[in-house]
Amino acid sequence: MRVLVTTSAVNSHLYNLVPTAWALRAAGHEVCVATQPNLVEETKRTGLTAVAVGEELPTARGNLDTSDTPYGLGVDITETDPATLTLPYVREVFRAYTSVVCEYMAGDSMLSDLVDFARVWRPDLVLWDAHNYAAPVMARAADLPHVRIIPAPDHWARMRAIFLDLVRDDPAAAADDPLADYLGGKLARYGREFDEEMVVGRATLEPIPTCLRVRADVDYRPVRHVPYSGPSVIPAWLRRKPKRRRVCLTLGQTRRALGPAGSDDSGAAGLLSAIADLDVEVIATLNASQIPPGTPIPDNVRLFDYVPLNALLPTCAAVVHLGGMGTVNAAVVHGVPQVGMPGNIWGEAGIMREMAARGAALVAEPGTLVAQLARVLDEPSFTDAATQLRKEMLATPSPRDIVPDVEEIAGVRAKGEGDGRR
């Protein structure tokens, strides 16, 4: 069969899709990744076929965080406080996130090109990154089954479930539905109508730890996270045992791709200064744009523009990061305790609270980083808990294991393998 994979031009979102895309390719299926032009070269480096759709995704400017809500929207799709989650608040979440975030990640130019390409290439299935809502519209326009894959906890489905519960017995309230209006408006161009499958796909693949999974009325298919972070070479020094306990410091792929680290104490300068007096070797994966000019580099810190986390983390006693899912997943896969200084993009604070609740992490602020990191390094319970999370992740079906599920959703197993043409 032919599988059309879609993602917006953000490296970490592409990397989350690669293991499943390659599992499908290895099973004999043809795979093509549709993305904006500025991710085409990176897609080609994964070994997968790429097609450019839409206009380039512009780079975000300024600090991605605000003191209250992500992107300055005034509402937060990751909000969990029941007192805050009133119908007006939830409705505004969908109004703000569709008009701003969805349109930024995958606007009309991408949708139009996706539909045109699908009509020519004629895929049997669409596999889409959960933040790219042009994909389910395209799938419905082309009458294709579609499967979603989440890059982080599924707050879209969680918040949607809250909205549907709030309006369940009030038809008038249900009629004011910004998400249905947004997707329905795009579908109307192709003579199609909105339904709830447009929000969550026919099924949803979950390559995240069990403790971060959301309870919603969705056909979730857990899948093991397989770390991938692009083409890389394992340096010779990484093959030697460190003389001191090694700590990885990273600000993550998404922050590197979408904007600067910021000028506050959660940025690189504050982090490097905070850990200068610890008896550890710090490997800081930071590029030049993430280190303010004139930043002093402590003697126990080694700076690298890039080191593959999949190779670095097995040598580390702990990892310090901002709560992004790529780093969290990699740390879980390798059983490494974590210290999080959460950002404010997609519920990082909640992610780190869950990791801490499982005993595998601690949450820190600039003033408590040294003490929290010392605890994680010195108290064996954190390593024990991280090891348990690793066992749970490794017991989850691999991308290869879920290929039959994807084939069944596409109808391949029922009708027999075809050539992908209709």
Side-chain angles (χ1 to χ4, degrees):
M1 68 176 175
R2 282 182 167 175
V3 181
L4 182 57
V5 179
T6 68
T7 181
S8 302
V10 180
N11 284 6
S12 59
H13 288 239
L14 170 66
Y15 296 164
N16 186 57
L17 289 157
V18 167
T20 300
W22 260 112
L24 289 162
R25 187 74 184 89
H29 303 300
E30 191 174 354
V31 176
C32 181
V33 179
T35 187
Q36 286 116 337
N38 42 331
L39 196 65
V40 165
E41 288 303 313
E42 187 63 27
T43 302
K44 288 164 57 179
R45 283 191 283 269
T46 71
L48 296 166
T49 300
V51 61
V53 290
E55 301 171 356
E56 288 200 353
L57 183 72
T59 301
R61 302 297 180 188
N63 198 337
L64 290 172
D65 296 355
T66 68
S67 60
D68 47 9
T69 60
Y71 315 109
L73 293 176
V75 289
D76 187 351
I77 199 169
T78 73
E79 177 63 62
T80 58
D81 180 14
T84 301
L85 293 172
T86 62
L87 179 56
Y89 186 93
V90 174
R91 187 177 281 135
E92 183 59 27
V93 163
F94 286 117
R95 183 171 289 113
Y97 273 78
T98 52
S99 64
V100 177
V101 179
C102 289
E103 279 301 291
Y104 169 73
M105 296 291 278
D108 284 343
S109 67
M110 186 176 196
L111 172 59
S112 178
D113 284 357
L114 274 173
V115 172
D116 289 345
F117 179 71
R119 287 171 172 168
V120 172
W121 198 62
R122 291 184 291 174
D124 298 284
L125 178 78
V126 177
L127 175 66
W128 54 285
D129 172 73
H131 291 186
N132 187 298
Y133 269 95
V137 176
M138 173 270 290
R140 179 60 56 83
D143 294 320
L144 297 170
H146 56 104
V147 174
R148 191 176 59 132
I149 183 167
I150 58 173
D154 194 7
H155 293 293
W156 280 108
R158 181 185 63 84
M159 195 64 76
R160 185 63 181 171
I162 292 171
F163 174 82
L164 293 176
D165 186 59
L166 288 170
V167 302
R168 191 173 311 280
D169 299 319
D170 189 343
D176 185 0
D177 185 344
L179 181 56
D181 291 345
Y182 174 78
L183 292 176
K186 292 180 181 292
L187 286 162
R189 304 172 197 172
Y190 304 100
R192 303 293 192 271
E193 295 182 352
F194 171 83
D195 60 36
E196 292 302 321
E197 185 180 285
M198 302 301 300
V199 183
V200 296
R202 192 164 295 182
T204 294
L205 306 185
E206 284 189 302
I208 62 175
T210 55
C211 59
L212 297 179
R213 291 172 184 160
V214 167
R215 293 183 179 180
D217 186 18
V218 176
D219 183 7
Y220 287 119
R221 310 291 177 96
V223 60
R224 184 188 315 159
H225 176 78
V226 177
Y228 176 82
S229 52
S232 56
V233 175
I234 299 176
W237 62 264
L238 199 52
R239 289 174 276 175
R240 296 188 291 269
K241 185 177 180 179
K243 295 180 179 179
R244 293 189 286 181
R245 290 179 297 181
R246 179 174 287 162
V247 174
C248 170
L249 168 62
T250 176
L251 300 184
Q253 283 280 348
T254 298
R255 185 169 292 274
R256 178 179 290 198
L258 293 183
S263 58
D264 61 9
D265 284 340
S266 66
L271 292 174
L272 294 177
S273 174
I275 57 183
D277 295 330
L278 287 176
D279 184 22
V280 293
E281 176 195 61
V282 178
I283 304 298
T285 61
L286 306 170
N287 63 19
S289 68
Q290 294 175 301
I291 305 174
T295 298
I297 307 302
D299 292 339
N300 64 339
V301 173
R302 301 174 67 186
L303 290 177
F304 293 89
D305 181 78
Y306 173 75
V307 180
L309 282 183
N310 198 40
L312 174 60
L313 287 180
T315 74
C316 293
V319 55
V320 178
H321 59 94
L322 300 185
M325 272 310 305
T327 307
V328 169
N329 271 331
V332 169
V333 167
H334 292 293
V336 180
Q338 307 173 44
V339 177
M341 299 182 65
N344 188 26
I345 301 174
W346 194 261
E348 290 85 351
I351 290 170
M352 292 313 304
R353 282 196 299 270
E354 291 295 334
M355 290 290 105
R358 287 297 305 268
L362 286 175
V363 180
E365 298 177 354
T368 63
L369 174 60
V370 173
Q372 298 292 67
L373 179 55
R375 280 193 61 194
V376 164
L377 290 169
D378 293 339
E379 298 179 20
S381 64
F382 292 100
T383 299
D384 293 342
T387 299
Q388 179 58 39
L389 279 179
R390 178 177 187 270
K391 291 178 180 178
E392 293 175 12
M393 179 67 82
L394 295 181
T396 305
S398 71
R400 182 186 65 180
D401 296 332
I402 56 92
V403 166
D405 290 3
V406 176
E407 292 172 338
E408 183 178 5
I409 292 167
V412 168
R413 293 195 159 235
K415 68 183 181 182
E417 185 67 70
D419 66 355
R421 290 171 169 76
R422 297 176 184 273

